[in-house]
Amino acid sequence: MNLIQLTDLHCVRYGRQAMGRCETNTLAERALRAVRNFRPRADAVLITGDLTDNGLPGEYELLAGILRRTLDVPVYVIPGNHDRRENFRAGLAHLPGVTSDPEFVQYTIEDLPVRVIMLDTVIPGNPAGEMCARRMAWLEARLAEQPGRPTMIAMHHPPFNCGLNDAIGLRDMAGFTALVARHPQVQRIICGHHHRPVTAPVAQAVASICPGVAHQVELDLGQEGLIGLWNLEPAAFQVHVWLEQPGGPAIISHTAYVDSYPGPFPFQADPESPH
Ligand SMILES: [Fe+2]
Ligand SMILES: [Fe+2]
């Protein structure tokens, strides 16, 4: 399994820039080309929210065009707080699972070695996220269906505090963590929203935030609770693979950079090397 995660594309209408100065459309297309050229080829691509900057129909139309031009593998998407659910569902209805639930964008991916559950944490008009009673019940029911199958959950808002913009995080993290703890097959939780790489425990699972493919959030841990600043640190995506381990197979996650850097160079031992 080679599952590629991208997040927080923040596409805007043609000719616009996000926040007046970030060329998110160009950065999204560049990242998706890097994904297309990645080897081994992705079995599937997951995009974990904030696909657009304003949730406008023209932004979904532009993104759909970029996806059509760049990828020929299955693409699975969930919304973030910058999306508008009704426009998301209309503009991306051709993607698998997007309209399978009548109210939310939530569905499962069943044809990979790991079962993936895609969640919708959006509160319309609010930058924070939540799993309301209906969404929690849906998740609990899906997890009860296949208790023996290794499972990954994808959601835009991370279910843990990270010291950056936690005021716009997920509400009722304790309830979500308790639900995960009741289902030990949940190995991995992958998220977006904070535009930089972060890893944390959530019950028995490893939870992580993927870097953005456009702007990143400044690592300013002294500003907890305030809305942070952004920068153009290296854009990246993550590659989740299923690898044999001493205790049984597990999901291992790599970070791949969109940009090119000098190298690769062969390792060459110095005469003084200990091996
Ligand atoms: Fe975002
Ligand atoms: Fe977000």
Side-chain angles (χ1 to χ4, degrees), residues 8 10 50 82 156 193 195:
D8 293 83
H10 288 264
D50 285 357
H82 278 263
H156 182 66
H193 193 46
H195 295 227

Side-chain angles (χ1 to χ4, degrees), residues 13 20 30 126 145 152 182 204 212 235:
R13 281 172 291 171
R30 183 184 74 141
N126 193 314
E145 285 170 352
M152 170 187 265
R182 289 196 291 277
Q204 75 285 352

Side-chain angles (χ1 to χ4, degrees), residues 18 23-24 30 32 36 43 58 63 66 69 85 88 100 104 108 115 148-149 177 182 199 207 210-211 232 250 275:
E23 297 282 357
T24 50
R30 183 184 74 141
L32 286 159
R36 180 182 63 195
D43 296 307
L63 171 63
I66 295 176
R69 283 198 292 282
R85 195 181 286 123
F88 186 105
S100 62
F104 300 107
T108 65
R115 189 176 189 226
R149 183 125 180 254
T177 303
R182 289 196 291 277
T199 309
C210 183
L232 287 171
H275 51 77

Side-chain angles (χ1 to χ4, degrees), residues 236-252:
F237 54 91
Q238 291 189 322
V239 184
H240 305 292
V241 300
W242 183 233
L243 269 186
E244 204 56 56
Q245 305 295 332
I251 300 159
I252 309 300

Side-chain angles (χ1 to χ4, degrees), residues 2-211:
N2 189 15
L3 194 55
I4 291 190
Q5 178 192 5
L6 299 94
T7 198
D8 293 83
L9 280 57
H10 288 264
C11 288
V12 288
R13 281 172 291 171
Y14 181 75
R16 302 288 183 98
Q17 298 159 319
M19 302 168 292
R21 66 193 303 179
C22 187
E23 297 282 357
T24 50
N25 294 344
T26 306
L27 294 167
E29 181 140 11
R30 183 184 74 141
L32 286 159
R33 283 186 186 162
V35 168
R36 180 182 63 195
N37 295 331
F38 189 83
R39 294 293 179 272
R41 279 169 63 86
D43 296 307
V45 170
L46 306 185
I47 312 181
T48 45
D50 285 357
L51 274 53
T52 65
D53 203 41
N54 304 293
L56 302 174
E59 297 178 337
Y60 293 108
E61 201 178 309
L62 183 132
L63 171 63
I66 295 176
L67 290 172
R68 223 177 6 253
R69 283 198 292 282
T70 51
L71 295 183
D72 58 0
V73 297
V75 178
Y76 299 98
V77 294
I78 44 174
N81 52 296
H82 278 263
D83 293 301
R84 291 178 200 253
R85 195 181 286 123
E86 59 288 359
N87 294 341
F88 186 105
R89 289 167 67 93
L92 302 174
H94 58 290
L95 297 179
V98 166
T99 57
S100 62
D101 186 274
E103 193 177 352
F104 300 107
V105 181
Q106 55 185 10
Y107 55 96
T108 65
I109 305 170
E110 303 286 353
D111 59 351
L112 297 167
V114 171
R115 189 176 189 226
V116 184
I117 304 185
M118 305 289 279
L119 298 184
D120 176 340
T121 53
V122 170
I123 308 170
N126 193 314
E130 74 172 0
M131 288 289 289
C132 58
R134 188 182 173 289
R135 283 175 275 187
M136 286 288 270
W138 182 88
L139 175 59
E140 186 103 54
R142 298 292 76 71
L143 288 168
E145 285 170 352
Q146 298 185 42
R149 183 125 180 254
T151 299
M152 170 187 265
I153 291 174
M155 57 202 294
H156 182 66
H157 294 83
F160 57 87
N161 288 316
C162 61
L164 289 167
N165 296 343
D166 289 329
I168 58 166
L170 187 77
R171 295 175 180 169
D172 191 18
M173 290 177 186
F176 185 86
T177 303
L179 189 155
V180 170
R182 289 196 291 277
H183 299 278
Q185 79 268 30
V186 179
Q187 280 196 8
R188 214 48 192 85
I189 301 170
I190 61 169
C191 314
H193 193 46
H194 290 302
H195 295 227
R196 61 177 309 111
V198 186
T199 309
V202 172
Q204 75 285 352
V206 173
S208 62
I209 303 170
C210 183

Side-chain angles (χ1 to χ4, degrees), residues 164 195-196 216-221 228-231 233:
L164 289 167
H195 295 227
R196 61 177 309 111
Q216 313 298 321
V217 168
E218 180 83 4
L219 181 58
D220 186 354
L221 296 173
L229 303 169
W230 61 276
N231 62 37
E233 288 176 348

